[in-house]
Amino acid sequence: MRIWPGRPYPLGATYDGSGTNFALFSAVAERVELCLVDADGSERRIDLPEVDAFVWHGYLPAAQPGQRYGYRVHGPYDPAAGHRCDPNKLLLDPYAKAIDGQIDGDPSLYSYTFGDPQTRNTADSAGHTMTSVVVNPYFDWGHDRPPQHEYHESVIYEAHVRGLTKLHPEVPEDIRGTYSALGHPAVVEHLTDLGVTAVELMPVHQFVHDPALADRGLTNYWGYNTIGFFAPHNGYAAYGSTGQQVQEFKAMVKALHAADIEVILDVVYNHTAEGNHLGPTLSFRGIDNASYYRLVDDDRAHYFDTTGTGNSLLMRSPHVLQLIMDSLRYWVHDMHVDGFRFDLAATLARQFHEVDRLSAFFDIVQQDPVISQVKLIAEPWDLGDGGYQVGGFPPLWSEWNGRYRDTVRDFWRGEPSTLAEFASRLSGSSDLYEHTGRRPIASVNFITAHDGFTLRDLVSYNEKHNEANGEDNKDGESFNRSWNCGVEGPTDDPEVTELRQRQSRNFLATLLLSQGVPMLAHGDELGRTQQGNNNVYCQDNELSWVDWDLDATREQLLEYTRTVVALRRDHPVFRRRRFFAGAPERGGESDLRDIAWLDPCGTHMSDEQWQEAYARSVMVFLNGDAIAEPDLRGEEVVDDSFLVLFNGAPEPVTFSLPGEDYGDTWTVVLDTDSQFEAGEVKKARAELSLAPRSLVVLTRPPMAEAEAGE
């Protein structure tokens, strides 16, 4: 087959309307074969004719979209020196835009013999591995535009493509669990009615189902096992996997954008699916192991692992950095996504051994004119030494605030000495972020996420129940900061049931009325349960899928969530762009500060009260007249003022509303116990008896408006 020299850039397979350019980086290769795989599995091998700066390349006029291909890389196989080239293995293109098939666990995927790792396995992996696919890059985006929601106006919804849509009754059965299902009007309508502004999709980069899970009849459901950083996962495609998943993914993004919803991808650039030294040879390992992976300095046959998955990418390699940046730009430019959440992001900061937040990766992101302008969210920890880095990322970044999650859970389950930190988390965690010049939007607040209990299970279980995973209930987090409200698991006890429902409402209201960026986990608004399993990473079944068959109680929770999301959306005092300064309103006659913390008697909290171990009740005043920041058009922001009364105690607590300086009358907006009805009016200094473990929100109009009304 005729092949032309082609070009060394861009890397990967690039179709230009006539033919396809193939380019592959390998600093150790001695010869590279491009392998064209036909529908019957037969293979045509063509030597790439050119190499420039370690990039092997060639242009094939005959290669059209849909063509499956792979590489065979001839070079050193010397694990002790860090080299694992193996031409017996058909390798994926690291830059493949689409991938066909899935591995089957056959021994031929491994470059060593089972039971004897020192002996080479020369079996051919073709037919047992995945293949890369040439894609057609052209797509009619029409009038698609990025919604570009400001962080402080965002409500993020963490979702799993398959789990969210697999059981949706209004989605056609043949497309449930796919990109097409996520873009279906019924799913989009749910998201818009809920009021979310962005979906944060769990991994959609092509991932591998671990053979060890397959042997137990399970799968890698969550997808944190990436092998293709440019390819949408083919298992979520409704219409085949030979390149059509790219078009389908783009159509999903276009549909969500049309509904003014952003798409954020949960990306896993810290490791790959090839695992440790006993893992399969699928791509990077066989192409240039020492350039892609971080190896143990004095034992290069083994991998330096800070992810708990067997390997870590080498973040000081320019070729790894190029791969990651090329991937990010591709998803923004070609796939139109709006941002990224970086899994185990502390690993990306490990240029050497320690976590360095100013490592090369962050420098490159900072100066990149494309990536620096989209949403960047870090999971600010990994499993290595010094890996817990909440508050430690550069100013451009937002972070999953794990301390927010832990503190709010502790407060509502009644842990002592939590009130002071609870106040810090509620007001934006300035103690974590302000010292680096960041603002409240640096804190992505969450109560639950994919990893751990659902909201319903958080209030229903003290212990994890992961027996279905087949790991003797040893997997998953054992310290969940959960409380079952008196009974483990399902119960018919009406008092326990009501308390659980109230606790769920408490958590949702706290999350959505906190400063920062709230993130909901999919299905929490619907009362989703995983029956106490806090680690459903391998459960692709009804245990993990969202159940859309709602009873009256779950319908009420959905409507409640919509109400609180709307309250946040309508009132900028709950989503300030800057931290509270403790300053009075500008230009006003009042001495009221922008925020005030009051005890149940309506007087300012003292230092001693904050430190009382048993203190579980507080009232916060949010001054809408003193937001002290212009909106994006430069106009002064004035809002209603609010009182939020928190009673985390196990008994009723009587609150006295503050005096007339704060406002003559207050109107009830929300009560998680439903003791007070929305619209009820309360006078200054009125006494309100709050139910155990409940919160109440009251409001009054701006002072000028109130005085005009008088």
mmCIF file of all heavy atoms in Angstrom, residues 150-157 197-198 200 262 264 375 377 398-401 404 425 428 439-447 511-512 514-520 568 574-576:
data_model
loop_
_atom_site.group_PDB
_atom_site.id
_atom_site.type_symbol
_atom_site.label_atom_id
_atom_site.label_comp_id
_atom_site.label_asym_id
_atom_site.label_seq_id
_atom_site.Cartn_x
_atom_site.Cartn_y
_atom_site.Cartn_z
ATOM 1 N N GLU A 150 -20.617 32.213 34.906
ATOM 2 C CA GLU A 150 -19.659 32.601 35.926
ATOM 3 C C GLU A 150 -19.693 31.567 37.065
ATOM 4 O O GLU A 150 -20.733 31.008 37.389
ATOM 5 C CB GLU A 150 -19.995 33.988 36.476
ATOM 6 C CG GLU A 150 -19.846 35.100 35.463
ATOM 7 C CD GLU A 150 -18.401 35.335 35.058
ATOM 8 O OE1 GLU A 150 -17.509 35.143 35.923
ATOM 9 O OE2 GLU A 150 -18.155 35.695 33.901
ATOM 10 N N TYR A 151 -18.518 31.343 37.648
ATOM 11 C CA TYR A 151 -18.430 30.363 38.728
ATOM 12 C C TYR A 151 -19.451 30.639 39.827
ATOM 13 O O TYR A 151 -20.114 29.727 40.338
ATOM 14 C CB TYR A 151 -17.030 30.380 39.345
ATOM 15 C CG TYR A 151 -16.075 29.337 38.819
ATOM 16 C CD1 TYR A 151 -14.896 29.717 38.198
ATOM 17 C CD2 TYR A 151 -16.323 27.978 38.985
ATOM 18 C CE1 TYR A 151 -13.992 28.768 37.742
ATOM 19 C CE2 TYR A 151 -15.429 27.021 38.536
ATOM 20 C CZ TYR A 151 -14.260 27.423 37.918
ATOM 21 O OH TYR A 151 -13.358 26.487 37.467
ATOM 22 N N HIS A 152 -19.573 31.900 40.230
ATOM 23 C CA HIS A 152 -20.418 32.192 41.384
ATOM 24 C C HIS A 152 -21.901 32.006 41.073
ATOM 25 O O HIS A 152 -22.725 31.955 41.984
ATOM 26 C CB HIS A 152 -20.155 33.609 41.906
ATOM 27 C CG HIS A 152 -20.631 34.708 41.012
ATOM 28 N ND1 HIS A 152 -20.009 35.024 39.831
ATOM 29 C CD2 HIS A 152 -21.676 35.561 41.120
ATOM 30 C CE1 HIS A 152 -20.638 36.032 39.252
ATOM 31 N NE2 HIS A 152 -21.652 36.375 40.011
ATOM 32 N N GLU A 153 -22.232 31.882 39.794
ATOM 33 C CA GLU A 153 -23.615 31.632 39.402
ATOM 34 C C GLU A 153 -23.850 30.166 39.056
ATOM 35 O O GLU A 153 -24.930 29.801 38.604
ATOM 36 C CB GLU A 153 -23.981 32.515 38.207
ATOM 37 C CG GLU A 153 -23.957 34.009 38.535
ATOM 38 C CD GLU A 153 -24.272 34.877 37.329
ATOM 39 O OE1 GLU A 153 -24.154 34.363 36.190
ATOM 40 O OE2 GLU A 153 -24.629 36.054 37.529
ATOM 41 N N SER A 154 -22.855 29.329 39.284
ATOM 42 C CA SER A 154 -22.916 27.938 38.848
ATOM 43 C C SER A 154 -23.487 27.016 39.925
ATOM 44 O O SER A 154 -23.260 27.210 41.118
ATOM 45 C CB SER A 154 -21.517 27.440 38.468
ATOM 46 O OG SER A 154 -21.003 28.161 37.358
ATOM 47 N N VAL A 155 -24.218 26.021 39.457
ATOM 48 C CA VAL A 155 -24.625 24.875 40.271
ATOM 49 C C VAL A 155 -24.236 23.643 39.468
ATOM 50 O O VAL A 155 -24.765 23.405 38.381
ATOM 51 C CB VAL A 155 -26.138 24.870 40.558
ATOM 52 C CG1 VAL A 155 -26.522 23.612 41.327
ATOM 53 C CG2 VAL A 155 -26.547 26.112 41.330
ATOM 54 N N ILE A 156 -23.268 22.891 39.991
ATOM 55 C CA ILE A 156 -22.711 21.750 39.263
ATOM 56 C C ILE A 156 -23.449 20.473 39.673
ATOM 57 O O ILE A 156 -23.799 20.280 40.836
ATOM 58 C CB ILE A 156 -21.205 21.618 39.548
ATOM 59 C CG1 ILE A 156 -20.471 22.876 39.054
ATOM 60 C CG2 ILE A 156 -20.622 20.374 38.891
ATOM 61 C CD1 ILE A 156 -18.998 22.916 39.423
ATOM 62 N N TYR A 157 -23.654 19.610 38.680
ATOM 63 C CA TYR A 157 -24.382 18.351 38.880
ATOM 64 C C TYR A 157 -23.482 17.215 38.426
ATOM 65 O O TYR A 157 -23.243 17.036 37.236
ATOM 66 C CB TYR A 157 -25.668 18.390 38.058
ATOM 67 C CG TYR A 157 -26.653 17.261 38.257
ATOM 68 C CD1 TYR A 157 -27.549 17.281 39.323
ATOM 69 C CD2 TYR A 157 -26.733 16.209 37.345
ATOM 70 C CE1 TYR A 157 -28.496 16.270 39.479
ATOM 71 C CE2 TYR A 157 -27.673 15.203 37.490
ATOM 72 C CZ TYR A 157 -28.549 15.233 38.557
ATOM 73 O OH TYR A 157 -29.498 14.237 38.705
ATOM 74 N N THR A 197 -26.475 24.421 36.264
ATOM 75 C CA THR A 197 -25.871 25.158 35.153
ATOM 76 C C THR A 197 -24.778 24.361 34.456
ATOM 77 O O THR A 197 -24.313 24.754 33.387
ATOM 78 C CB THR A 197 -25.250 26.471 35.651
ATOM 79 O OG1 THR A 197 -24.148 26.173 36.535
ATOM 80 C CG2 THR A 197 -26.283 27.316 36.385
ATOM 81 N N ALA A 198 -24.331 23.248 35.061
ATOM 82 C CA ALA A 198 -23.268 22.446 34.464
ATOM 83 C C ALA A 198 -23.420 21.002 34.906
ATOM 84 O O ALA A 198 -23.754 20.729 36.065
ATOM 85 C CB ALA A 198 -21.889 22.968 34.870
ATOM 86 N N GLU A 200 -21.133 17.698 35.442
ATOM 87 C CA GLU A 200 -19.755 17.234 35.550
ATOM 88 C C GLU A 200 -19.786 15.721 35.349
ATOM 89 O O GLU A 200 -20.204 14.969 36.226
ATOM 90 C CB GLU A 200 -19.177 17.588 36.920
ATOM 91 C CG GLU A 200 -17.724 17.155 37.095
ATOM 92 C CD GLU A 200 -17.169 17.571 38.449
ATOM 93 O OE1 GLU A 200 -17.098 18.789 38.706
ATOM 94 O OE2 GLU A 200 -16.836 16.669 39.249
ATOM 95 N N GLU A 262 -23.536 23.784 30.824
ATOM 96 C CA GLU A 262 -22.148 23.496 30.483
ATOM 97 C C GLU A 262 -21.835 22.020 30.684
ATOM 98 O O GLU A 262 -22.509 21.325 31.449
ATOM 99 C CB GLU A 262 -21.207 24.332 31.359
ATOM 100 C CG GLU A 262 -21.294 25.822 31.103
ATOM 101 C CD GLU A 262 -20.379 26.613 32.011
ATOM 102 O OE1 GLU A 262 -20.411 26.395 33.236
ATOM 103 O OE2 GLU A 262 -19.626 27.448 31.486
ATOM 104 N N ILE A 264 -18.679 19.662 31.870
ATOM 105 C CA ILE A 264 -17.371 19.552 32.505
ATOM 106 C C ILE A 264 -17.008 18.068 32.555
ATOM 107 O O ILE A 264 -17.847 17.233 32.904
ATOM 108 C CB ILE A 264 -17.399 20.148 33.927
ATOM 109 C CG1 ILE A 264 -17.753 21.643 33.867
ATOM 110 C CG2 ILE A 264 -16.073 19.939 34.643
ATOM 111 C CD1 ILE A 264 -18.018 22.262 35.235
ATOM 112 N N LYS A 375 -13.203 26.165 32.891
ATOM 113 C CA LYS A 375 -13.282 25.816 34.305
ATOM 114 C C LYS A 375 -12.288 24.701 34.621
ATOM 115 O O LYS A 375 -12.254 23.668 33.947
ATOM 116 C CB LYS A 375 -14.708 25.394 34.663
ATOM 117 C CG LYS A 375 -15.689 26.571 34.676
ATOM 118 C CD LYS A 375 -17.075 26.144 35.102
ATOM 119 C CE LYS A 375 -17.957 27.368 35.368
ATOM 120 N NZ LYS A 375 -18.204 28.173 34.164
ATOM 121 N N ILE A 377 -11.036 22.410 37.841
ATOM 122 C CA ILE A 377 -11.383 21.984 39.196
ATOM 123 C C ILE A 377 -10.463 20.828 39.586
ATOM 124 O O ILE A 377 -10.356 19.842 38.856
ATOM 125 C CB ILE A 377 -12.851 21.535 39.284
ATOM 126 C CG1 ILE A 377 -13.782 22.679 38.840
ATOM 127 C CG2 ILE A 377 -13.200 21.075 40.688
ATOM 128 C CD1 ILE A 377 -15.225 22.251 38.663
ATOM 129 N N SER A 398 -10.144 26.003 40.967
ATOM 130 C CA SER A 398 -11.082 25.711 42.048
ATOM 131 C C SER A 398 -10.801 24.294 42.524
ATOM 132 O O SER A 398 -10.119 23.523 41.856
ATOM 133 C CB SER A 398 -12.528 25.834 41.563
ATOM 134 O OG SER A 398 -12.822 27.175 41.214
ATOM 135 N N GLU A 399 -11.328 23.950 43.704
ATOM 136 C CA GLU A 399 -11.025 22.650 44.294
ATOM 137 C C GLU A 399 -12.273 22.005 44.887
ATOM 138 O O GLU A 399 -13.119 22.703 45.444
ATOM 139 C CB GLU A 399 -10.002 22.791 45.429
ATOM 140 C CG GLU A 399 -8.693 23.440 45.057
ATOM 141 C CD GLU A 399 -7.819 23.680 46.287
ATOM 142 O OE1 GLU A 399 -8.111 23.079 47.351
ATOM 143 O OE2 GLU A 399 -6.860 24.455 46.196
ATOM 144 N N TRP A 400 -12.346 20.694 44.779
ATOM 145 C CA TRP A 400 -13.297 19.967 45.605
ATOM 146 C C TRP A 400 -12.883 20.193 47.056
ATOM 147 O O TRP A 400 -11.776 19.814 47.459
ATOM 148 C CB TRP A 400 -13.233 18.477 45.290
ATOM 149 C CG TRP A 400 -14.153 18.035 44.184
ATOM 150 C CD1 TRP A 400 -14.631 18.783 43.170
ATOM 151 C CD2 TRP A 400 -14.683 16.706 44.009
ATOM 152 N NE1 TRP A 400 -15.425 18.020 42.353
ATOM 153 C CE2 TRP A 400 -15.475 16.753 42.848
ATOM 154 C CE3 TRP A 400 -14.543 15.509 44.701
ATOM 155 C CZ2 TRP A 400 -16.143 15.617 42.372
ATOM 156 C CZ3 TRP A 400 -15.205 14.391 44.236
ATOM 157 C CH2 TRP A 400 -16.009 14.438 43.085
ATOM 158 N N ASN A 401 -13.763 20.798 47.839
ATOM 159 C CA ASN A 401 -13.423 21.137 49.217
ATOM 160 C C ASN A 401 -13.817 19.987 50.147
ATOM 161 O O ASN A 401 -14.930 19.940 50.674
ATOM 162 C CB ASN A 401 -14.119 22.435 49.621
ATOM 163 C CG ASN A 401 -13.617 22.968 50.945
ATOM 164 O OD1 ASN A 401 -12.981 22.259 51.722
ATOM 165 N ND2 ASN A 401 -13.900 24.228 51.231
ATOM 166 N N TYR A 404 -15.023 20.986 53.557
ATOM 167 C CA TYR A 404 -16.434 21.397 53.613
ATOM 168 C C TYR A 404 -17.310 20.171 53.852
ATOM 169 O O TYR A 404 -18.165 20.158 54.750
ATOM 170 C CB TYR A 404 -16.831 22.093 52.315
ATOM 171 C CG TYR A 404 -18.293 22.506 52.281
ATOM 172 C CD1 TYR A 404 -18.682 23.784 52.660
ATOM 173 C CD2 TYR A 404 -19.295 21.610 51.913
ATOM 174 C CE1 TYR A 404 -20.021 24.165 52.664
ATOM 175 C CE2 TYR A 404 -20.625 21.965 51.917
ATOM 176 C CZ TYR A 404 -20.989 23.248 52.289
ATOM 177 O OH TYR A 404 -22.307 23.611 52.300
ATOM 178 N N ARG A 425 -16.856 27.190 56.795
ATOM 179 C CA ARG A 425 -17.218 26.517 55.542
ATOM 180 C C ARG A 425 -18.456 27.152 54.918
ATOM 181 O O ARG A 425 -18.534 27.314 53.701
ATOM 182 C CB ARG A 425 -17.472 25.026 55.798
ATOM 183 C CG ARG A 425 -16.309 24.302 56.443
ATOM 184 C CD ARG A 425 -15.043 24.276 55.579
ATOM 185 N NE ARG A 425 -13.864 24.196 56.432
ATOM 186 C CZ ARG A 425 -12.970 25.155 56.551
ATOM 187 N NH1 ARG A 425 -13.089 26.280 55.870
ATOM 188 N NH2 ARG A 425 -11.935 25.022 57.346
ATOM 189 N N GLY A 428 -17.610 30.362 52.904
ATOM 190 C CA GLY A 428 -16.734 30.336 51.741
ATOM 191 C C GLY A 428 -15.338 29.827 51.969
ATOM 192 O O GLY A 428 -14.519 29.828 51.051
ATOM 193 N N ARG A 439 -10.887 33.574 45.671
ATOM 194 C CA ARG A 439 -12.188 34.043 46.140
ATOM 195 C C ARG A 439 -13.068 32.848 46.489
ATOM 196 O O ARG A 439 -12.656 31.707 46.318
ATOM 197 C CB ARG A 439 -12.815 34.942 45.079
ATOM 198 C CG ARG A 439 -12.019 36.246 44.903
ATOM 199 C CD ARG A 439 -12.671 37.197 43.914
ATOM 200 N NE ARG A 439 -11.951 38.473 43.870
ATOM 201 C CZ ARG A 439 -12.297 39.496 43.109
ATOM 202 N NH1 ARG A 439 -13.357 39.403 42.305
ATOM 203 N NH2 ARG A 439 -11.604 40.612 43.140
ATOM 204 N N PRO A 440 -14.288 33.074 46.937
ATOM 205 C CA PRO A 440 -15.124 31.932 47.345
ATOM 206 C C PRO A 440 -15.311 30.880 46.263
ATOM 207 O O PRO A 440 -15.519 29.704 46.577
ATOM 208 C CB PRO A 440 -16.459 32.597 47.711
ATOM 209 C CG PRO A 440 -16.081 33.970 48.147
ATOM 210 C CD PRO A 440 -14.930 34.372 47.273
ATOM 211 N N ILE A 441 -15.220 31.276 44.996
ATOM 212 C CA ILE A 441 -15.418 30.307 43.923
ATOM 213 C C ILE A 441 -14.310 29.264 43.877
ATOM 214 O O ILE A 441 -14.433 28.260 43.153
ATOM 215 C CB ILE A 441 -15.526 31.005 42.552
ATOM 216 C CG1 ILE A 441 -14.248 31.792 42.243
ATOM 217 C CG2 ILE A 441 -16.760 31.881 42.503
ATOM 218 C CD1 ILE A 441 -14.181 32.328 40.827
ATOM 219 N N ALA A 442 -13.239 29.453 44.632
ATOM 220 C CA ALA A 442 -12.197 28.422 44.704
ATOM 221 C C ALA A 442 -12.722 27.166 45.382
ATOM 222 O O ALA A 442 -12.180 26.073 45.189
ATOM 223 C CB ALA A 442 -10.979 28.945 45.455
ATOM 224 N N SER A 443 -13.780 27.310 46.165
ATOM 225 C CA SER A 443 -14.323 26.193 46.933
ATOM 226 C C SER A 443 -15.506 25.575 46.209
ATOM 227 O O SER A 443 -16.574 26.189 46.096
ATOM 228 C CB SER A 443 -14.768 26.667 48.323
ATOM 229 O OG SER A 443 -15.314 25.598 49.053
ATOM 230 N N VAL A 444 -15.318 24.366 45.677
ATOM 231 C CA VAL A 444 -16.447 23.588 45.165
ATOM 232 C C VAL A 444 -16.975 22.780 46.347
ATOM 233 O O VAL A 444 -16.334 21.840 46.818
ATOM 234 C CB VAL A 444 -16.031 22.671 44.004
ATOM 235 C CG1 VAL A 444 -17.200 21.786 43.578
ATOM 236 C CG2 VAL A 444 -15.546 23.508 42.821
ATOM 237 N N ASN A 445 -18.128 23.196 46.847
ATOM 238 C CA ASN A 445 -18.714 22.595 48.034
ATOM 239 C C ASN A 445 -19.535 21.369 47.656
ATOM 240 O O ASN A 445 -20.281 21.395 46.675
ATOM 241 C CB ASN A 445 -19.620 23.604 48.745
ATOM 242 C CG ASN A 445 -18.876 24.859 49.167
ATOM 243 O OD1 ASN A 445 -17.700 24.805 49.516
ATOM 244 N ND2 ASN A 445 -19.559 25.993 49.145
ATOM 245 N N PHE A 446 -19.417 20.323 48.441
ATOM 246 C CA PHE A 446 -20.233 19.137 48.207
ATOM 247 C C PHE A 446 -20.430 18.386 49.516
ATOM 248 O O PHE A 446 -19.603 18.449 50.422
ATOM 249 C CB PHE A 446 -19.598 18.231 47.139
ATOM 250 C CG PHE A 446 -18.281 17.602 47.527
ATOM 251 C CD1 PHE A 446 -18.207 16.249 47.844
ATOM 252 C CD2 PHE A 446 -17.102 18.347 47.565
ATOM 253 C CE1 PHE A 446 -16.994 15.665 48.194
ATOM 254 C CE2 PHE A 446 -15.892 17.767 47.906
ATOM 255 C CZ PHE A 446 -15.836 16.422 48.230
ATOM 256 N N ILE A 447 -21.557 17.709 49.597
ATOM 257 C CA ILE A 447 -21.858 16.842 50.739
ATOM 258 C C ILE A 447 -21.594 15.390 50.348
ATOM 259 O O ILE A 447 -21.046 14.605 51.117
ATOM 260 C CB ILE A 447 -23.329 16.986 51.186
ATOM 261 C CG1 ILE A 447 -23.685 18.457 51.442
ATOM 262 C CG2 ILE A 447 -23.604 16.127 52.410
ATOM 263 C CD1 ILE A 447 -22.966 19.082 52.602
ATOM 264 N N LEU A 511 -25.840 23.180 51.734
ATOM 265 C CA LEU A 511 -25.001 23.181 50.536
ATOM 266 C C LEU A 511 -25.335 24.344 49.611
ATOM 267 O O LEU A 511 -24.448 25.087 49.169
ATOM 268 C CB LEU A 511 -25.182 21.855 49.792
ATOM 269 C CG LEU A 511 -24.508 21.743 48.416
ATOM 270 C CD1 LEU A 511 -22.998 21.776 48.567
ATOM 271 C CD2 LEU A 511 -24.961 20.471 47.709
ATOM 272 N N LEU A 512 -26.596 24.534 49.341
ATOM 273 C CA LEU A 512 -26.999 25.499 48.320
ATOM 274 C C LEU A 512 -27.003 26.932 48.828
ATOM 275 O O LEU A 512 -27.003 27.869 48.021
ATOM 276 C CB LEU A 512 -28.368 25.112 47.768
ATOM 277 C CG LEU A 512 -28.321 23.846 46.900
ATOM 278 C CD1 LEU A 512 -29.706 23.232 46.737
ATOM 279 C CD2 LEU A 512 -27.707 24.147 45.537
ATOM 280 N N SER A 514 -24.560 28.015 50.959
ATOM 281 C CA SER A 514 -23.179 28.323 51.344
ATOM 282 C C SER A 514 -22.497 29.131 50.254
ATOM 283 O O SER A 514 -22.801 28.969 49.057
ATOM 284 C CB SER A 514 -22.383 27.033 51.573
ATOM 285 O OG SER A 514 -22.869 26.315 52.679
ATOM 286 N N GLN A 515 -21.555 29.981 50.656
ATOM 287 C CA GLN A 515 -20.730 30.683 49.676
ATOM 288 C C GLN A 515 -19.793 29.674 49.004
ATOM 289 O O GLN A 515 -19.300 28.750 49.639
ATOM 290 C CB GLN A 515 -19.920 31.784 50.347
ATOM 291 C CG GLN A 515 -20.748 32.783 51.128
ATOM 292 C CD GLN A 515 -21.743 33.548 50.258
ATOM 293 O OE1 GLN A 515 -21.445 33.908 49.118
ATOM 294 N NE2 GLN A 515 -22.932 33.796 50.803
ATOM 295 N N GLY A 516 -19.518 29.892 47.732
ATOM 296 C CA GLY A 516 -18.733 28.952 46.957
ATOM 297 C C GLY A 516 -19.566 28.390 45.829
ATOM 298 O O GLY A 516 -20.606 28.944 45.462
ATOM 299 N N VAL A 517 -19.121 27.284 45.265
ATOM 300 C CA VAL A 517 -19.801 26.656 44.125
ATOM 301 C C VAL A 517 -20.381 25.325 44.581
ATOM 302 O O VAL A 517 -19.622 24.408 44.913
ATOM 303 C CB VAL A 517 -18.824 26.431 42.955
ATOM 304 C CG1 VAL A 517 -19.562 25.843 41.761
ATOM 305 C CG2 VAL A 517 -18.119 27.723 42.575
ATOM 306 N N PRO A 518 -21.706 25.178 44.611
ATOM 307 C CA PRO A 518 -22.289 23.920 45.083
ATOM 308 C C PRO A 518 -22.245 22.836 44.013
ATOM 309 O O PRO A 518 -22.398 23.103 42.817
ATOM 310 C CB PRO A 518 -23.734 24.305 45.397
ATOM 311 C CG PRO A 518 -24.033 25.437 44.463
ATOM 312 C CD PRO A 518 -22.728 26.190 44.301
ATOM 313 N N MET A 519 -22.026 21.606 44.451
ATOM 314 C CA MET A 519 -22.080 20.454 43.550
ATOM 315 C C MET A 519 -23.008 19.401 44.135
ATOM 316 O O MET A 519 -22.819 18.935 45.262
ATOM 317 C CB MET A 519 -20.689 19.851 43.330
ATOM 318 C CG MET A 519 -20.696 18.715 42.304
ATOM 319 S SD MET A 519 -19.106 17.859 42.151
ATOM 320 C CE MET A 519 -19.150 16.810 43.626
ATOM 321 N N LEU A 520 -24.016 19.036 43.352
ATOM 322 C CA LEU A 520 -24.944 17.968 43.706
ATOM 323 C C LEU A 520 -24.499 16.669 43.048
ATOM 324 O O LEU A 520 -24.019 16.677 41.911
ATOM 325 C CB LEU A 520 -26.361 18.297 43.228
ATOM 326 C CG LEU A 520 -27.083 19.463 43.893
ATOM 327 C CD1 LEU A 520 -28.256 19.905 43.024
ATOM 328 C CD2 LEU A 520 -27.586 19.042 45.268
ATOM 329 N N ARG A 568 -31.151 30.250 45.741
ATOM 330 C CA ARG A 568 -29.764 30.645 45.518
ATOM 331 C C ARG A 568 -29.632 31.462 44.236
ATOM 332 O O ARG A 568 -28.961 32.491 44.203
ATOM 333 C CB ARG A 568 -28.883 29.390 45.435
ATOM 334 C CG ARG A 568 -27.419 29.712 45.147
ATOM 335 C CD ARG A 568 -26.575 28.465 44.931
ATOM 336 N NE ARG A 568 -25.184 28.832 44.727
ATOM 337 C CZ ARG A 568 -24.308 29.033 45.691
ATOM 338 N NH1 ARG A 568 -24.677 28.896 46.952
ATOM 339 N NH2 ARG A 568 -23.065 29.382 45.421
ATOM 340 N N PHE A 574 -26.279 34.909 48.471
ATOM 341 C CA PHE A 574 -25.853 33.530 48.719
ATOM 342 C C PHE A 574 -24.719 33.087 47.792
ATOM 343 O O PHE A 574 -24.220 31.969 47.930
ATOM 344 C CB PHE A 574 -27.031 32.569 48.538
ATOM 345 C CG PHE A 574 -28.110 32.733 49.571
ATOM 346 C CD1 PHE A 574 -29.394 33.097 49.199
ATOM 347 C CD2 PHE A 574 -27.843 32.536 50.911
ATOM 348 C CE1 PHE A 574 -30.397 33.247 50.137
ATOM 349 C CE2 PHE A 574 -28.843 32.687 51.870
ATOM 350 C CZ PHE A 574 -30.122 33.059 51.475
ATOM 351 N N ARG A 575 -24.356 33.910 46.840
ATOM 352 C CA ARG A 575 -23.339 33.511 45.859
ATOM 353 C C ARG A 575 -22.434 34.702 45.534
ATOM 354 O O ARG A 575 -22.248 35.079 44.400
ATOM 355 C CB ARG A 575 -23.996 32.956 44.589
ATOM 356 C CG ARG A 575 -25.189 33.769 44.087
ATOM 357 C CD ARG A 575 -25.818 33.172 42.833
ATOM 358 N NE ARG A 575 -26.983 33.943 42.426
ATOM 359 C CZ ARG A 575 -26.936 35.060 41.724
ATOM 360 N NH1 ARG A 575 -25.748 35.548 41.352
ATOM 361 N NH2 ARG A 575 -28.029 35.710 41.388
ATOM 362 N N ARG A 576 -21.872 35.259 46.590
ATOM 363 C CA ARG A 576 -21.002 36.423 46.459
ATOM 364 C C ARG A 576 -19.734 36.064 45.684
ATOM 365 O O ARG A 576 -19.228 34.951 45.759
ATOM 366 C CB ARG A 576 -20.624 36.951 47.840
ATOM 367 C CG ARG A 576 -21.778 37.536 48.631
ATOM 368 C CD ARG A 576 -21.382 37.718 50.080
ATOM 369 N NE ARG A 576 -20.145 38.475 50.218
ATOM 370 C CZ ARG A 576 -20.073 39.769 50.499
ATOM 371 N NH1 ARG A 576 -21.191 40.464 50.689
ATOM 372 N NH2 ARG A 576 -18.914 40.369 50.616
#
